[in-house]
Amino acid sequence: MNSVVRFSIMAACAALFVIQGYTQSDSGVPHLRKQGTATQLIVDGRPFLALAGELGNNTATSLENMQPIWPKLVSGNLNCVLVAISWAQMEPTEGKYGFALVDGLIQEARRNNLKLVFLWFGSWKNGLSSYAPYWVKTDYKRYPRIRIKGGKTLELLSTFGDATRDADARAYRALMRHIKEVDSVPHTVLMMQVENEVGVLRDSRDRSAPSNKSFAGPVPKELMDYLERHKDTLAPELREVWAAQGFRTSGTWEEVFGPGKPDSFDVPIQTKSPPMSAEEHETSWRKLHWPVDEIFMAWNYARYVNTVVEAGKKEYDLPMYVNAWLQQPNHAWPGTYPSGGPVPQVYDIWRAGAPSVDILAPDLYLEYFDEVCARFTRNGNPLFIPETSTNATNVLSAFGKFNAIGFSPFFIERSPAPDTDLSAAYGLVWQLAPAIAAQQGKETIAAVRLNQGDAPLDLKLGNYTMTLSYVGMGRVPIAPDQSAAPAAHDPKAPEAAAILIAAGPDEFYFGSVGGGIRIAFAPTTPGPKIVGLGDVQQGKFVQGEWRVVRQLGGDDTGQGEILTVRPNVPLRVTVYRYE
Ligand code: DGJ
């Protein structure tokens, strides 16, 4: 997308701000706001859909290294980048902070019309503590590590180190103070990720002496009270664990949540088959194993992270999230994935222990994309996906079905930016952004997936039931009598995804990626039964107004009788009824 188009789209978003009637007195500071069942990220008074990518862990450790990357990000239609800030690099000597890199990244992002989400690589990164400063790592008496089975230790700071927590919180607070100073206008930094994929690895819980003592003691009253208050809405997985102990309202961790991992069991690095049987491999990652250990760790990580988050928010109250390495086929047991991280089964423990954290976010590399999104949006958790693959159909599903705030493939600079399915999907969402943002969280937006050979799908949207059929990438029917002919089966036919938006009683916006989709309308309200196509327009939003690029009829609409949404072509369609 060239700079003129980028500018027009940004201006379109600005106009949306006016259309939706926000006033200048709205805080321009990025914040979260509910709209129906959705939670949106509001930046300078208007909803922002983050079409993002996360850089490799160390890509932004110098401005020089970033130079060739900025233009790539722009050409890939990104509007936002996730960039790590290393505690070790920012505070190489205790109490001496360096912000030159942060400043440079903000300036370069602005120059490229990009927004930023900073990732605070503090005490933990992928469970371990590789980004803690040297002065923390070497002073292991003051900043203790965890112990695992057999008393072994590893480079993983313990949540039971108050001095570690306080040092991390002090540094993070200094960072937020600085960002506020340099980024009050314009708002380039939108959100913060606090730590990265926290949790214990290679054992199901910390077995250091302070941890063992706490584990043998009572579940804190604060947590018990929270669980009792939210008993009816707890994640079903957690509720089951508690129910199995008779919903005890006090007692030790094992009395309330059942037995922990037996000493005899060694947690491997991965849970692969063999030694797991094929069946275990298929089912183990969907079950909980020694949930008490995971619950105990979740509480302790949540308390620690909450202290860091609150220290930062005291200076600058940006939305802050934590991200999860998910339980998955090769990482089925806690300890093979970080035990205590914000995975769905401990959602409530994190909410109780870290009330200042705004979002629990999945690093979503699994093929069960929609299933994971559904689990992460229970109980109103907003969806932000900080790490994922570049799958274009997932982009539409995230924004159209799960009201996502943002989508962000990992190591984005590795994928050549322009002419990819991802950049096409981002371009499509960007051009429809005002329409999407206006309907998220309501009954008037949906996204579907279709594959060749799938039966047509019925979807109710606005005053119509739409029957959606896959037409793939090939030639689309140009006359009604051709529409019935089945397309030849192509085993390589791509999955298609469509986003469908009802903007008014007879007005729709559509977009698809991966393949085309045919839409037939049937009214759901009394009146004439036949539905005709009114305007069919290819276009895009510019300064909040729909701008027509091509007015469609004839062959492009099956002579007025067939609506086909072709991949990467945003459409505005009005319909009417007759008899
Ligand atoms: C997940 C981590 O959060 C990222 O920082 C990165 O290390 C990737 N895994 C590597 O695949």
Side-chain angles (χ1 to χ4, degrees):
M1 187 174 296
N2 65 36
S3 56
V4 175
V5 177
R6 283 172 63 79
F7 175 77
S8 314
I9 293 170
M10 287 189 132
C13 295
L16 175 70
F17 160 66
V18 175
I19 291 164
Q20 295 198 335
Y22 303 126
T23 65
Q24 287 301 329
S25 64
D26 271 297
S27 156
V29 175
H31 61 278
L32 300 178
R33 189 174 66 194
K34 290 287 278 180
Q35 173 172 287
T37 57
T39 301
Q40 297 183 307
L41 174 62
I42 308 298
V43 182
D44 292 321
R46 60 186 193 263
F48 184 88
L49 305 179
L51 304 168
E54 180 170 325
L55 296 175
N57 298 164
N58 307 305
T59 303
T61 50
S62 85
L63 296 180
E64 184 184 341
N65 198 51
M66 279 299 293
Q67 270 323 308
I69 291 167
W70 295 110
K72 268 182 138 189
L73 303 173
V74 171
S75 66
N77 291 335
L78 273 76
N79 60 12
C80 182
V81 199
L82 275 60
V83 179
I85 302 294
S86 146
W87 182 14
Q89 199 179 0
M90 196 191 89
E91 193 185 2
T93 307
E94 188 173 359
K96 302 253 182 307
Y97 305 112
F99 296 118
L101 182 61
V102 171
D103 293 349
L105 291 168
I106 292 176
Q107 277 158 18
E108 286 302 308
R110 283 182 190 155
R111 220 193 302 279
N112 288 283
N113 268 330
L114 289 164
K115 300 290 188 186
L116 292 173
V117 171
F118 280 136
L119 320 178
W120 173 240
F121 285 4
S123 297
W124 299 291
K125 154 76 176 66
N126 296 35
L128 298 165
S129 300
S130 55
Y131 286 86
Y134 184 73
W135 53 269
V136 170
K137 286 182 184 170
T138 47
D139 196 350
Y140 51 86
K141 292 243 158 60
R142 191 164 154 218
Y143 307 113
R145 289 164 163 76
I146 64 154
R147 301 241 164 224
I148 58 172
K149 188 182 174 226
K152 276 189 271 177
T153 190
L154 39 145
E155 184 110 291
L156 200 166
L157 293 163
S158 171
T159 56
F160 289 90
D162 290 357
T164 331
R165 179 198 61 203
D166 295 344
D168 187 332
R170 237 182 345 262
Y172 183 67
R173 180 171 183 170
L175 173 63
M176 294 314 294
R177 185 184 316 127
H178 185 78
I179 293 173
K180 185 174 184 188
E181 270 163 28
V182 297
D183 197 44
S184 288
V185 187
H187 298 107
T188 299
V189 183
L190 306 185
M191 297 206 288
M192 300 295 295
Q193 176 184 299
V194 184
E195 314 295 348
N196 188 80
E197 295 187 344
V198 302
V200 168
L201 285 172
R202 300 182 209 156
D203 204 337
S204 53
R205 69 170 177 85
D206 183 355
R207 289 169 204 275
S208 63
S211 172
N212 284 344
K213 186 168 172 224
S214 172
F215 188 70
V219 176
K221 183 165 177 335
E222 220 177 330
L223 175 56
M224 287 298 10
D225 288 350
Y226 182 97
L227 296 182
E228 280 188 79
R229 272 201 316 279
H230 295 85
K231 193 170 174 184
D232 295 339
T233 54
L234 293 179
E237 305 90 311
L238 179 70
R239 201 171 194 278
E240 248 174 59
V241 170
W242 191 22
Q245 306 305 312
F247 291 116
R248 284 191 63 150
T249 54
S250 65
T252 66
W253 289 88
E254 288 190 299
E255 283 165 355
V256 177
F257 299 115
K261 179 177 78 62
D263 260 1
S264 53
F265 193 98
D266 250 332
V267 173
I269 304 273
Q270 290 204 344
T271 38
K272 283 202 172 172
S273 169
M276 294 170 90
S277 69
E279 204 224 319
E280 274 172 332
H281 194 262
E282 189 39 50
T283 55
S284 289
W285 70 278
R286 290 179 181 277
K287 294 181 190 153
L288 303 191
H289 313 271
W290 326 290
V292 64
D293 293 351
E294 195 172 1
I295 291 167
F296 172 74
M297 286 321 307
W299 173 255
N300 285 293
Y301 276 104
R303 296 311 294 149
Y304 185 122
V305 170
N306 198 58
T307 304
V308 177
V309 164
E310 281 185 351
K313 286 198 171 191
K314 257 185 216 137
E315 297 294 341
Y316 190 25
D317 190 3
L318 286 185
M320 296 184 191
Y321 70 89
V322 289
N323 63 327
W325 167 342
L326 301 178
Q327 187 178 11
Q328 53 197 282
N330 285 344
H331 304 258
W333 304 322
T336 58
Y337 64 93
S339 177
V343 289
Q345 58 264 32
V346 289
Y347 173 93
D348 301 281
I349 310 296
W350 269 87
R351 285 293 175 216
S356 297
V357 169
D358 298 294
I359 304 173
L360 311 184
D363 287 349
L364 210 177
Y365 297 98
L366 299 182
E367 62 187 286
Y368 323 91
F369 183 89
D370 285 14
E371 187 185 327
V372 175
C373 290
R375 285 185 86 194
F376 268 84
T377 45
R378 294 183 302 194
N379 280 339
N381 185 46
L383 184 65
F384 181 73
I385 306 171
E387 289 184 40
T388 186
S389 62
T390 54
N391 183 311
T393 53
N394 289 347
V395 174
L396 294 204
S397 192
F399 288 107
K401 187 169 174 188
F402 296 103
N403 302 311
I405 284 174
F407 185 95
S408 170
F410 180 66
F411 224 137
I412 189 69
E413 67 276 29
R414 241 182 351 200
S415 339
D419 307 328
T420 60
D421 290 347
L422 180 76
S423 59
Y426 275 9
L428 182 80
V429 171
W430 207 341
Q431 293 175 80
L432 288 172
I436 296 170
Q439 306 304 328
Q440 275 189 325
K442 305 179 187 170
E443 299 279 287
T444 42
I445 186 166
V448 298
R449 298 173 190 270
L450 275 172
N451 284 284
Q452 191 177 44
D454 284 355
L457 200 78
D458 281 347
L459 175 82
K460 189 177 169 325
L461 202 68
N463 294 336
Y464 295 88
T465 296
M466 299 176 192
T467 302
L468 311 169
S469 337
Y470 182 86
V471 294
M473 298 290 283
R475 197 160 164 266
V476 296
I478 60 168
D481 59 338
Q482 292 178 351
S483 62
H489 189 77
D490 172 4
K492 292 206 196 101
E495 180 179 62
I499 191 161
L500 308 107
I501 299 156
D506 300 306
E507 181 191 0
F508 298 91
Y509 291 93
F510 299 120
S512 84
V513 296
I517 287 185
R518 179 183 167 177
I519 305 179
F521 295 83
T524 56
T525 52
K529 291 271 179 288
I530 307 174
V531 180
L533 297 176
D535 272 331
V536 179
Q537 302 165 336
Q538 176 185 337
K540 61 191 170 198
F541 278 93
V542 179
Q543 297 183 19
E545 300 287 337
W546 178 250
R547 177 180 293 174
V548 181
V549 175
R550 280 201 315 152
Q551 186 74 40
L552 303 183
D555 292 353
D556 283 314
T557 61
Q559 316 313 324
E561 292 190 310
I562 301 174
L563 179 67
T564 305
V565 183
R566 292 171 174 79
N568 314 326
V569 178
L571 291 185
R572 175 182 176 274
V573 176
T574 58
V575 295
Y576 63 94
R577 295 165 61 173
Y578 65 97
E579 54 192 6

